[in-house]
Amino acid sequence: RITEAFRGKSRGGAYGDNMEELDWSIGRIMQELKDLGIANNTLVFFSSDNGPFRERRGESGSCGAVANAKGESVPLRGAKGQTWECGIRVPGIIWWNGAKGNRTVSDISSTMDLFATVADLTGGIPAESVLDGQSLLRHLENRRVAERRSLLHYCGDEVAAVRVGKYKVHFTTAQWEDNESQSCPGQTICGCHARKHRVPVVFDMVKDPSERTPVKPLSDEHAKAVGRALAMLERHRRTVDAVANQLDPLPRPWLFPCCNAPESALERYQRIFSGSCSCRDEEWSDVKSPGEAERILRGHRAAGADDEL
């Protein structure tokens, strides 16, 4: 939802307007940290939970492009909800006073690493703990660090792909309805287990980050990559206890965030599925300019309502 202050302000349509508002919002957050005097003791992490929602066409943005081993700019494949790179490769920016210099790091990392990083900063990770993420603290402090060699890509409660070294091994992939948008307009998103590969599909992500040309199936290179991925997957599975998938049961409306929601479960179901269950604050809905938003924020501050912001 775009507030009136930013509607039509960019040359990029609704998506561009959203980016303008996002940029302004981040600026406000950073300024608030400085105003409160806690900026030097705060780690700010900017990222996204997935790639573009291409089923929404122009509203979704794009994955952009990355450089391959030859320095050529190549597009990423797939979309949100898929384990192709476009679905999982997202921005990752960390701002922290303790960081040593401004750098770009190309090592493999994951949003799961945030928990391990914060734990490392605030007292360390218990030796008996088994975490999916790895601390990025040594990266932030510009200390020597062994490059992460592997990463599991889940779809639901099953691993769909494994990154191991420079290779990515796909066991299952999405089946697109529309090859041009690489998405499924007739569904919410494509099912990421739609195509099960009897012989896993392998890509060299250094030479081919756009995942266009698979490593030759059953070649020595392919066999070694698949063998390493399977061994890593088996080690991982030994650390995982089976639990019920919380996404399988019918939605539980009493757990859904819904501002001013009715007590009746039936009414909540109706509002959830009709799209009327949302947290639309009337105070903010008609804001026409960043200046008006600033005045509202100052009013909350003066009233001692910081906890509500």
Tab-separated table of all heavy atoms in Angstrom, residues 240-287:
chain	number	residue	atom	x	y	z
A	240	VAL	N	18.315	-32.918	12.677
A	240	VAL	CA	16.949	-32.376	12.627
A	240	VAL	C	15.968	-33.361	13.245
A	240	VAL	O	15.943	-34.543	12.877
A	240	VAL	CB	16.535	-32.083	11.166
A	240	VAL	CG1	15.088	-31.600	11.117
A	240	VAL	CG2	17.458	-31.045	10.544
A	241	ASP	N	15.158	-32.883	14.184
A	241	ASP	CA	14.079	-33.683	14.760
A	241	ASP	C	12.791	-33.389	14.000
A	241	ASP	O	12.444	-32.225	13.761
A	241	ASP	CB	13.877	-33.342	16.236
A	241	ASP	CG	15.087	-33.717	17.076
A	241	ASP	OD1	15.714	-34.749	16.761
A	241	ASP	OD2	15.409	-32.971	18.022
A	242	ALA	N	12.084	-34.437	13.620
A	242	ALA	CA	10.836	-34.256	12.874
A	242	ALA	C	9.769	-33.630	13.765
A	242	ALA	O	9.576	-34.037	14.914
A	242	ALA	CB	10.347	-35.606	12.348
A	243	VAL	N	9.118	-32.601	13.248
A	243	VAL	CA	8.012	-31.944	13.954
A	243	VAL	C	6.872	-31.745	12.968
A	243	VAL	O	7.058	-31.819	11.755
A	243	VAL	CB	8.430	-30.576	14.548
A	243	VAL	CG1	9.496	-30.754	15.610
A	243	VAL	CG2	8.910	-29.634	13.450
A	244	ALA	N	5.680	-31.502	13.502
A	244	ALA	CA	4.529	-31.265	12.635
A	244	ALA	C	4.719	-29.956	11.873
A	244	ALA	O	5.186	-28.957	12.422
A	244	ALA	CB	3.249	-31.194	13.469
A	245	ASN	N	4.372	-29.976	10.598
A	245	ASN	CA	4.439	-28.773	9.778
A	245	ASN	C	3.304	-27.833	10.183
A	245	ASN	O	2.127	-28.162	10.007
A	245	ASN	CB	4.324	-29.146	8.294
A	245	ASN	CG	4.534	-27.953	7.380
A	245	ASN	OD1	4.452	-26.801	7.799
A	245	ASN	ND2	4.817	-28.235	6.122
A	246	GLN	N	3.640	-26.666	10.710
A	246	GLN	CA	2.628	-25.737	11.188
A	246	GLN	C	1.860	-25.071	10.052
A	246	GLN	O	0.856	-24.398	10.287
A	246	GLN	CB	3.276	-24.673	12.067
A	246	GLN	CG	3.891	-25.264	13.330
A	246	GLN	CD	4.546	-24.209	14.205
A	246	GLN	OE1	4.341	-23.024	14.007
A	246	GLN	NE2	5.348	-24.644	15.160
A	247	LEU	N	2.330	-25.238	8.822
A	247	LEU	CA	1.640	-24.634	7.682
A	247	LEU	C	0.594	-25.563	7.078
A	247	LEU	O	-0.197	-25.148	6.233
A	247	LEU	CB	2.650	-24.251	6.592
A	247	LEU	CG	3.731	-23.259	7.008
A	247	LEU	CD1	4.690	-23.002	5.847
A	247	LEU	CD2	3.119	-21.957	7.474
A	248	ASP	N	0.576	-26.821	7.492
A	248	ASP	CA	-0.356	-27.784	6.910
A	248	ASP	C	-1.803	-27.613	7.372
A	248	ASP	O	-2.718	-27.731	6.568
A	248	ASP	CB	0.098	-29.222	7.217
A	248	ASP	CG	1.188	-29.671	6.257
A	248	ASP	OD1	1.369	-29.002	5.227
A	248	ASP	OD2	1.855	-30.680	6.550
A	249	PRO	N	-2.066	-27.354	8.669
A	249	PRO	CA	-3.474	-27.260	9.092
A	249	PRO	C	-4.178	-26.066	8.452
A	249	PRO	O	-3.550	-25.180	7.878
A	249	PRO	CB	-3.364	-27.061	10.620
A	249	PRO	CG	-1.990	-27.478	10.974
A	249	PRO	CD	-1.144	-27.176	9.787
A	250	LEU	N	-5.494	-26.053	8.564
A	250	LEU	CA	-6.256	-24.896	8.096
A	250	LEU	C	-5.811	-23.650	8.857
A	250	LEU	O	-5.344	-23.744	9.988
A	250	LEU	CB	-7.753	-25.129	8.325
A	250	LEU	CG	-8.443	-26.122	7.399
A	250	LEU	CD1	-9.856	-26.384	7.897
A	250	LEU	CD2	-8.484	-25.586	5.971
A	251	PRO	N	-5.931	-22.469	8.238
A	251	PRO	CA	-5.534	-21.245	8.932
A	251	PRO	C	-6.232	-21.110	10.278
A	251	PRO	O	-7.399	-21.471	10.433
A	251	PRO	CB	-5.997	-20.141	7.967
A	251	PRO	CG	-6.063	-20.794	6.639
A	251	PRO	CD	-6.460	-22.216	6.886
A	252	ARG	N	-5.504	-20.600	11.245
A	252	ARG	CA	-6.056	-20.382	12.581
A	252	ARG	C	-6.240	-18.880	12.762
A	252	ARG	O	-5.291	-18.161	13.090
A	252	ARG	CB	-5.103	-20.930	13.632
A	252	ARG	CG	-4.859	-22.426	13.454
A	252	ARG	CD	-3.756	-22.932	14.359
A	252	ARG	NE	-3.453	-24.319	14.090
A	252	ARG	CZ	-2.447	-24.984	14.648
A	252	ARG	NH1	-1.653	-24.360	15.491
A	252	ARG	NH2	-2.230	-26.240	14.342
A	253	PRO	N	-7.433	-18.394	12.541
A	253	PRO	CA	-7.625	-16.937	12.494
A	253	PRO	C	-7.281	-16.224	13.782
A	253	PRO	O	-6.939	-15.053	13.760
A	253	PRO	CB	-9.121	-16.796	12.166
A	253	PRO	CG	-9.736	-18.088	12.568
A	253	PRO	CD	-8.693	-19.136	12.323
A	254	TRP	N	-7.346	-16.910	14.913
A	254	TRP	CA	-7.023	-16.251	16.176
A	254	TRP	C	-5.518	-15.971	16.292
A	254	TRP	O	-5.091	-15.251	17.176
A	254	TRP	CB	-7.488	-17.105	17.353
A	254	TRP	CG	-7.007	-18.521	17.328
A	254	TRP	CD1	-5.871	-19.010	17.897
A	254	TRP	CD2	-7.644	-19.632	16.685
A	254	TRP	NE1	-5.758	-20.357	17.648
A	254	TRP	CE2	-6.840	-20.764	16.904
A	254	TRP	CE3	-8.826	-19.768	15.942
A	254	TRP	CZ2	-7.173	-22.021	16.405
A	254	TRP	CZ3	-9.153	-21.028	15.448
A	254	TRP	CH2	-8.337	-22.132	15.682
A	255	LEU	N	-4.705	-16.539	15.377
A	255	LEU	CA	-3.269	-16.278	15.382
A	255	LEU	C	-2.867	-15.229	14.352
A	255	LEU	O	-1.711	-14.815	14.316
A	255	LEU	CB	-2.494	-17.579	15.102
A	255	LEU	CG	-2.670	-18.716	16.114
A	255	LEU	CD1	-1.866	-19.929	15.685
A	255	LEU	CD2	-2.250	-18.265	17.503
A	256	PHE	N	-3.792	-14.801	13.484
A	256	PHE	CA	-3.474	-13.853	12.425
A	256	PHE	C	-3.480	-12.430	12.976
A	256	PHE	O	-4.388	-12.059	13.713
A	256	PHE	CB	-4.501	-13.941	11.289
A	256	PHE	CG	-4.300	-15.112	10.372
A	256	PHE	CD1	-4.004	-16.359	10.877
A	256	PHE	CD2	-4.425	-14.965	9.007
A	256	PHE	CE1	-3.826	-17.453	10.046
A	256	PHE	CE2	-4.252	-16.045	8.169
A	256	PHE	CZ	-3.948	-17.292	8.684
A	257	PRO	N	-2.494	-11.606	12.610
A	257	PRO	CA	-2.552	-10.200	13.004
A	257	PRO	C	-3.687	-9.504	12.275
A	257	PRO	O	-3.802	-9.601	11.065
A	257	PRO	CB	-1.187	-9.642	12.562
A	257	PRO	CG	-0.753	-10.543	11.469
A	257	PRO	CD	-1.304	-11.903	11.800
A	258	CYS	N	-4.559	-8.850	13.022
A	258	CYS	CA	-5.711	-8.194	12.406
A	258	CYS	C	-6.147	-7.064	13.337
A	258	CYS	O	-6.698	-7.311	14.399
A	258	CYS	CB	-6.852	-9.196	12.207
A	258	CYS	SG	-8.232	-8.551	11.255
A	259	CYS	N	-5.869	-5.834	12.936
A	259	CYS	CA	-6.179	-4.707	13.820
A	259	CYS	C	-7.681	-4.586	14.046
A	259	CYS	O	-8.472	-4.710	13.120
A	259	CYS	CB	-5.643	-3.413	13.213
A	259	CYS	SG	-3.839	-3.380	13.132
A	260	ASN	N	-8.073	-4.310	15.294
A	260	ASN	CA	-9.480	-4.138	15.660
A	260	ASN	C	-10.334	-5.314	15.185
A	260	ASN	O	-11.435	-5.142	14.659
A	260	ASN	CB	-10.030	-2.829	15.068
A	260	ASN	CG	-9.211	-1.637	15.520
A	260	ASN	OD1	-8.873	-1.524	16.685
A	260	ASN	ND2	-8.885	-0.760	14.591
A	261	ALA	N	-9.783	-6.517	15.344
A	261	ALA	CA	-10.466	-7.699	14.822
A	261	ALA	C	-11.659	-8.085	15.685
A	261	ALA	O	-11.640	-7.927	16.903
A	261	ALA	CB	-9.494	-8.873	14.778
A	262	PRO	N	-12.726	-8.603	15.059
A	262	PRO	CA	-13.863	-9.102	15.825
A	262	PRO	C	-13.482	-10.367	16.584
A	262	PRO	O	-12.546	-11.066	16.228
A	262	PRO	CB	-14.901	-9.398	14.738
A	262	PRO	CG	-14.105	-9.649	13.507
A	262	PRO	CD	-12.918	-8.753	13.603
A	263	GLU	N	-14.208	-10.654	17.647
A	263	GLU	CA	-13.913	-11.829	18.454
A	263	GLU	C	-14.336	-13.116	17.764
A	263	GLU	O	-13.770	-14.172	17.972
A	263	GLU	CB	-14.625	-11.717	19.814
A	263	GLU	CG	-14.097	-10.597	20.694
A	263	GLU	CD	-12.642	-10.802	21.045
A	263	GLU	OE1	-12.245	-11.958	21.296
A	263	GLU	OE2	-11.898	-9.812	21.086
A	264	SER	N	-15.352	-13.034	16.913
A	264	SER	CA	-15.888	-14.222	16.259
A	264	SER	C	-14.880	-14.807	15.270
A	264	SER	O	-14.376	-14.103	14.389
A	264	SER	CB	-17.184	-13.864	15.512
A	264	SER	OG	-17.509	-14.847	14.562
A	265	ALA	N	-14.584	-16.119	15.421
A	265	ALA	CA	-13.660	-16.777	14.503
A	265	ALA	C	-14.199	-16.750	13.070
A	265	ALA	O	-13.447	-16.582	12.108
A	265	ALA	CB	-13.418	-18.219	14.942
A	266	LEU	N	-15.532	-16.922	12.918
A	266	LEU	CA	-16.138	-16.906	11.588
A	266	LEU	C	-15.917	-15.555	10.911
A	266	LEU	O	-15.541	-15.488	9.738
A	266	LEU	CB	-17.637	-17.203	11.682
A	266	LEU	CG	-18.409	-17.148	10.342
A	266	LEU	CD1	-17.828	-18.154	9.356
A	266	LEU	CD2	-19.895	-17.426	10.593
A	267	GLU	N	-16.130	-14.462	11.662
A	267	GLU	CA	-15.924	-13.131	11.089
A	267	GLU	C	-14.464	-12.915	10.711
A	267	GLU	O	-14.156	-12.301	9.685
A	267	GLU	CB	-16.368	-12.060	12.088
A	267	GLU	CG	-17.865	-11.845	12.162
A	267	GLU	CD	-18.191	-10.637	13.033
A	267	GLU	OE1	-18.182	-9.521	12.497
A	267	GLU	OE2	-18.425	-10.843	14.247
A	268	ARG	N	-13.565	-13.447	11.510
A	268	ARG	CA	-12.143	-13.273	11.210
A	268	ARG	C	-11.784	-14.026	9.936
A	268	ARG	O	-11.032	-13.535	9.101
A	268	ARG	CB	-11.278	-13.739	12.375
A	268	ARG	CG	-11.449	-12.903	13.627
A	268	ARG	CD	-10.287	-13.052	14.573
A	268	ARG	NE	-9.098	-12.385	14.054
A	268	ARG	CZ	-8.010	-12.170	14.774
A	268	ARG	NH1	-7.965	-12.558	16.033
A	268	ARG	NH2	-6.963	-11.572	14.255
A	269	TYR	N	-12.320	-15.246	9.778
A	269	TYR	CA	-12.104	-15.979	8.532
A	269	TYR	C	-12.567	-15.149	7.349
A	269	TYR	O	-11.884	-15.008	6.339
A	269	TYR	CB	-12.875	-17.301	8.543
A	269	TYR	CG	-12.079	-18.492	9.025
A	269	TYR	CD1	-12.472	-19.198	10.155
A	269	TYR	CD2	-10.942	-18.913	8.351
A	269	TYR	CE1	-11.745	-20.295	10.613
A	269	TYR	CE2	-10.213	-19.997	8.789
A	269	TYR	CZ	-10.621	-20.695	9.909
A	269	TYR	OH	-9.904	-21.769	10.342
A	270	GLN	N	-13.781	-14.594	7.463
A	270	GLN	CA	-14.340	-13.812	6.369
A	270	GLN	C	-13.459	-12.615	6.047
A	270	GLN	O	-13.213	-12.310	4.880
A	270	GLN	CB	-15.761	-13.358	6.730
A	270	GLN	CG	-16.764	-14.501	6.787
A	270	GLN	CD	-18.102	-14.067	7.359
A	270	GLN	OE1	-18.200	-13.056	8.058
A	270	GLN	NE2	-19.145	-14.832	7.062
A	271	ARG	N	-12.959	-11.945	7.069
A	271	ARG	CA	-12.133	-10.764	6.836
A	271	ARG	C	-10.773	-11.131	6.268
A	271	ARG	O	-10.223	-10.430	5.434
A	271	ARG	CB	-11.974	-9.970	8.135
A	271	ARG	CG	-13.267	-9.293	8.583
A	271	ARG	CD	-13.048	-8.429	9.799
A	271	ARG	NE	-12.086	-7.375	9.546
A	271	ARG	CZ	-11.625	-6.548	10.487
A	271	ARG	NH1	-12.046	-6.684	11.728
A	271	ARG	NH2	-10.753	-5.609	10.191
A	272	ILE	N	-10.214	-12.261	6.735
A	272	ILE	CA	-8.916	-12.698	6.223
A	272	ILE	C	-9.006	-12.986	4.730
A	272	ILE	O	-8.206	-12.513	3.923
A	272	ILE	CB	-8.424	-13.947	6.987
A	272	ILE	CG1	-8.012	-13.550	8.403
A	272	ILE	CG2	-7.259	-14.610	6.263
A	272	ILE	CD1	-7.894	-14.718	9.349
A	273	PHE	N	-10.000	-13.772	4.340
A	273	PHE	CA	-10.081	-14.190	2.942
A	273	PHE	C	-10.656	-13.114	2.031
A	273	PHE	O	-10.512	-13.176	0.819
A	273	PHE	CB	-10.894	-15.488	2.826
A	273	PHE	CG	-10.180	-16.663	3.431
A	273	PHE	CD1	-10.670	-17.285	4.567
A	273	PHE	CD2	-8.994	-17.121	2.898
A	273	PHE	CE1	-10.006	-18.350	5.155
A	273	PHE	CE2	-8.322	-18.192	3.463
A	273	PHE	CZ	-8.823	-18.809	4.589
A	274	SER	N	-11.294	-12.109	2.587
A	274	SER	CA	-11.788	-11.008	1.765
A	274	SER	C	-10.747	-9.906	1.643
A	274	SER	O	-10.913	-8.960	0.873
A	274	SER	CB	-13.070	-10.419	2.382
A	274	SER	OG	-12.779	-9.765	3.613
A	275	GLY	N	-9.645	-10.033	2.390
A	275	GLY	CA	-8.596	-9.022	2.345
A	275	GLY	C	-8.874	-7.809	3.203
A	275	GLY	O	-8.133	-6.827	3.165
A	276	SER	N	-9.944	-7.838	3.993
A	276	SER	CA	-10.280	-6.666	4.813
A	276	SER	C	-9.629	-6.726	6.187
A	276	SER	O	-9.774	-5.807	6.977
A	276	SER	CB	-11.793	-6.552	4.981
A	276	SER	OG	-12.303	-7.697	5.655
A	277	CYS	N	-8.945	-7.827	6.479
A	277	CYS	CA	-8.245	-7.947	7.762
A	277	CYS	C	-6.840	-7.391	7.580
A	277	CYS	O	-5.939	-8.091	7.133
A	277	CYS	CB	-8.170	-9.402	8.206
A	277	CYS	SG	-7.339	-9.613	9.793
A	278	SER	N	-6.656	-6.124	7.855
A	278	SER	CA	-5.353	-5.510	7.697
A	278	SER	C	-5.174	-4.442	8.765
A	278	SER	O	-6.133	-3.988	9.366
A	278	SER	CB	-5.209	-4.884	6.309
A	278	SER	OG	-6.179	-3.872	6.131
A	279	CYS	N	-3.955	-4.063	8.976
A	279	CYS	CA	-3.659	-3.052	9.985
A	279	CYS	C	-3.494	-1.705	9.298
A	279	CYS	O	-2.388	-1.207	9.126
A	279	CYS	CB	-2.406	-3.432	10.772
A	279	CYS	SG	-2.649	-4.911	11.780
A	280	ARG	N	-4.598	-1.125	8.886
A	280	ARG	CA	-4.563	0.164	8.196
A	280	ARG	C	-4.907	1.251	9.208
A	280	ARG	O	-6.055	1.437	9.574
A	280	ARG	CB	-5.561	0.162	7.027
A	280	ARG	CG	-5.514	1.434	6.178
A	280	ARG	CD	-6.401	1.254	4.947
A	280	ARG	NE	-6.310	2.400	4.059
A	280	ARG	CZ	-7.102	3.456	4.118
A	280	ARG	NH1	-8.055	3.500	5.032
A	280	ARG	NH2	-6.968	4.448	3.262
A	281	ASP	N	-3.896	1.943	9.645
A	281	ASP	CA	-4.078	2.975	10.660
A	281	ASP	C	-4.609	4.237	9.988
A	281	ASP	O	-3.957	4.817	9.122
A	281	ASP	CB	-2.731	3.253	11.339
A	281	ASP	CG	-2.885	4.104	12.593
A	281	ASP	OD1	-3.826	4.903	12.634
A	281	ASP	OD2	-2.051	3.945	13.503
A	282	GLU	N	-5.797	4.667	10.387
A	282	GLU	CA	-6.412	5.844	9.759
A	282	GLU	C	-5.547	7.089	9.939
A	282	GLU	O	-5.569	7.995	9.112
A	282	GLU	CB	-7.811	6.095	10.362
A	282	GLU	CG	-8.817	5.000	10.035
A	282	GLU	CD	-8.999	4.809	8.533
A	282	GLU	OE1	-8.985	5.820	7.805
A	282	GLU	OE2	-9.143	3.662	8.096
A	283	GLU	N	-4.755	7.115	11.015
A	283	GLU	CA	-3.912	8.280	11.255
A	283	GLU	C	-2.904	8.464	10.123
A	283	GLU	O	-2.518	9.573	9.779
A	283	GLU	CB	-3.181	8.114	12.584
A	283	GLU	CG	-2.295	9.299	12.945
A	283	GLU	CD	-1.616	9.099	14.284
A	283	GLU	OE1	-1.348	7.934	14.650
A	283	GLU	OE2	-1.368	10.092	14.966
A	284	TRP	N	-2.471	7.334	9.539
A	284	TRP	CA	-1.429	7.391	8.519
A	284	TRP	C	-1.983	7.291	7.105
A	284	TRP	O	-1.291	7.594	6.143
A	284	TRP	CB	-0.439	6.246	8.735
A	284	TRP	CG	0.342	6.374	9.988
A	284	TRP	CD1	0.050	5.824	11.200
A	284	TRP	CD2	1.534	7.125	10.179
A	284	TRP	NE1	0.989	6.165	12.128
A	284	TRP	CE2	1.925	6.963	11.533
A	284	TRP	CE3	2.332	7.902	9.338
A	284	TRP	CZ2	3.055	7.551	12.054
A	284	TRP	CZ3	3.470	8.499	9.863
A	284	TRP	CH2	3.817	8.321	11.205
A	285	SER	N	-3.223	6.852	6.946
A	285	SER	CA	-3.730	6.507	5.619
A	285	SER	C	-3.824	7.699	4.677
A	285	SER	O	-3.715	7.545	3.467
A	285	SER	CB	-5.098	5.835	5.748
A	285	SER	OG	-6.019	6.706	6.370
A	286	ASP	N	-4.038	8.901	5.217
A	286	ASP	CA	-4.231	10.067	4.361
A	286	ASP	C	-3.068	11.043	4.407
A	286	ASP	O	-3.207	12.207	4.021
A	286	ASP	CB	-5.532	10.797	4.745
A	286	ASP	CG	-6.759	9.923	4.509
A	286	ASP	OD1	-6.783	9.238	3.464
A	286	ASP	OD2	-7.664	9.919	5.355
A	287	VAL	N	-1.905	10.579	4.880
A	287	VAL	CA	-0.732	11.446	4.919
A	287	VAL	C	-0.356	11.838	3.496
A	287	VAL	O	-0.221	10.995	2.614
A	287	VAL	CB	0.448	10.729	5.615
A	287	VAL	CG1	1.737	11.511	5.429
A	287	VAL	CG2	0.147	10.566	7.090
